[in-house]
Amino acid sequence: MYKRQLLLNGFKEVNQEIISMNTNLAKVIGSNAIGNIKSVLGTLSGTIKNEFSSLAKETVTLGDAVNVFDLDMESLGKSQKETNKIKQQLGDYGKHTVYDTSDLLKVYSTLTAYGRNDQIDLVKSIGGLTAQTSNPIDNYKEVVAQLSDILSAGKLGQADFRVLRNRLNALGSAELNTKLEQLAQSKGFENIRDATQNGGISSEDFLNAIKEVGGQSKFQNRANSIITPKQALDNLRETLSLNYNYDKYDEEGNKIAEAPLRKFYDNTTKFIKGITSIIDTDRFTGYVTNTSCLLYTSDAADDLLCV
């Protein structure tokens, strides 16, 4: 109850700050613009309120991703402390960008499963190449999904590259294209199209190219730059989600703070599992059967094995 009240108090403070901004701006600009200012700030206030209301959904989404990630890392031979350190690194990156940490966890797991040892670098490189696009969050998701197909096939296909190129920012697409052209020619192919048609660029080659291009500081700066209202709101949502749903760990992987809403997620899971365990009993089945017999008076009751 105490933590929930703190959360509500925080929301009230944000709303009060917006009201104060409204008043101060109106004084500076003058009475003729007061109506427009109220309209703009009212829209902003409503948008932020909607972001707060999505916290419960974010709790479930991030909670699912964390649990799957823990299971994946355990299956791949990682200790819990190793896994915790990775989660902290990915969470910190999520806080400084617009990207969903659930997507970062997913791509890290995929890269680990395929034997890469530079997963963090690749996670960030993909972020650099999709930064400052019209919808970086969705573009990141699409790139991750396409990479899974490429890794599964073991090579870069022509269709794969065409899809991916449309998801990257213009500068990233151009530089990656140049890098792959050079790679294709070094392997004896005429161009990228010739190489991809003949399976000449392996998935490993492609990931190395992504890391080399996307890892440059100019792309990482793009990923860490919040320059539009939409990006600011996306970053706000992700930061709130992580602060309230994501446990904190020290450099050794020890948990130092539990997320306030993590118990909500865990208790919801336990509650549903508890209901399932009750339903999956002979006693409950007998109760349903006998209740059905009382409700049915026709011959259909015989089909329900009434006693």
Side-chain angles (χ1 to χ4, degrees):
M1 180 67 71
Y2 174 70
K3 290 178 179 177
R4 184 171 63 182
Q5 188 59 49
L6 283 178
L7 182 61
L8 291 174
N9 289 342
F11 293 169
K12 290 178 181 177
E13 289 176 7
V14 170
N15 197 51
Q16 187 59 45
E17 185 67 24
I18 292 172
I19 293 174
S20 177
M21 287 168 56
N22 189 333
T23 303
N24 292 335
L25 281 173
K27 289 179 179 178
V28 172
I29 296 177
S31 58
N32 291 336
I34 289 178
N36 291 333
I37 292 171
K38 287 184 176 181
S39 176
V40 171
L41 292 178
T43 300
L44 178 60
S45 177
T47 303
I48 292 176
K49 190 178 296 183
N50 290 335
E51 292 295 325
F52 289 147
S53 69
S54 69
L55 270 179
K57 181 179 178 181
E58 290 292 329
T59 300
V60 175
T61 301
L62 188 55
D64 290 349
V66 168
N67 283 356
V68 171
F69 185 78
D70 284 345
L71 186 61
D72 286 345
M73 292 300 102
E74 181 182 0
S75 300
L76 292 166
K78 299 287 186 183
S79 69
Q80 189 59 56
K81 283 191 176 183
E82 288 178 305
T83 300
N84 291 344
K85 287 192 287 186
I86 296 166
K87 288 191 292 188
Q88 187 64 47
Q89 286 180 278
L90 295 175
D92 288 343
Y93 183 68
K95 280 186 179 181
H96 291 92
T97 65
V98 300
Y99 301 116
D100 289 340
T101 302
S102 54
D103 292 328
L104 307 181
L105 293 168
K106 180 179 179 181
V107 71
Y108 189 100
S109 290
T110 300
L111 293 168
T112 304
Y114 280 94
R116 296 291 299 204
N117 295 314
D118 51 358
Q119 305 95 314
I120 292 290
D121 290 338
L122 281 166
V123 165
K124 293 182 177 181
S125 294
I126 296 168
L129 292 174
T130 54
Q132 307 306 333
T133 53
S134 58
N135 197 331
I137 296 175
D138 286 348
N139 286 336
Y140 196 102
K141 293 179 189 290
E142 290 295 329
V143 169
V144 169
Q146 202 69 34
L147 280 179
S148 296
D149 292 341
I150 294 170
L151 286 166
S152 179
K155 60 184 179 181
L156 176 66
Q158 187 176 354
D160 295 322
F161 183 57
R162 186 163 52 246
V163 171
L164 286 170
R165 189 168 52 193
N166 292 331
R167 297 294 178 180
L168 309 181
N169 53 59
L171 182 60
S173 179
E175 292 204 13
L176 184 61
N177 189 81
T178 299
K179 181 66 181 176
L180 292 175
E181 282 283 2
Q182 294 171 349
L183 178 62
Q185 291 171 6
S186 72
K187 290 176 173 287
F189 297 99
E190 185 177 346
N191 49 39
I192 298 176
R193 182 174 182 177
D194 184 25
T196 53
Q197 285 179 336
N198 292 281
I201 299 178
S202 70
S203 56
E204 293 296 309
D205 290 333
F206 185 58
L207 288 176
N208 290 338
I210 285 179
K211 185 173 74 170
E212 185 173 337
V213 175
Q216 297 177 76
S217 59
K218 60 184 175 184
F219 289 109
Q220 291 307 302
N221 290 339
R222 292 171 73 96
N224 287 283
S225 298
I226 308 299
I227 61 173
T228 70
K230 183 180 184 304
Q231 290 174 4
L233 284 170
D234 286 337
N235 179 253
L236 169 64
R237 174 187 52 75
E238 185 62 18
T239 301
L240 280 171
S241 176
L242 286 165
N243 283 343
Y244 289 103
N245 305 321
Y246 207 72
D247 295 333
K248 291 182 174 62
Y249 307 96
D250 62 20
E251 293 181 356
E252 300 301 320
N254 299 302
K255 184 189 293 187
I256 56 177
E258 184 174 54
L261 295 183
R262 180 67 188 182
K263 288 184 178 179
F264 164 78
Y265 175 87
D266 291 338
N267 289 334
T268 299
T269 304
K270 290 177 183 177
F271 176 71
I272 295 172
K273 290 173 67 176
I275 292 176
T276 303
S277 65
I278 293 172
I279 292 174
D280 190 26
T281 61
D282 292 337
R283 181 179 178 184
F284 184 82
T285 302
Y287 170 77
V288 173
T289 301
N290 291 332
T291 301
S292 299
C293 288
L294 293 174
L295 294 174
Y296 286 93
T297 56
S298 64
D299 292 337
D302 294 333
D303 297 331
L304 294 169
L305 303 178
C306 298
V307 295

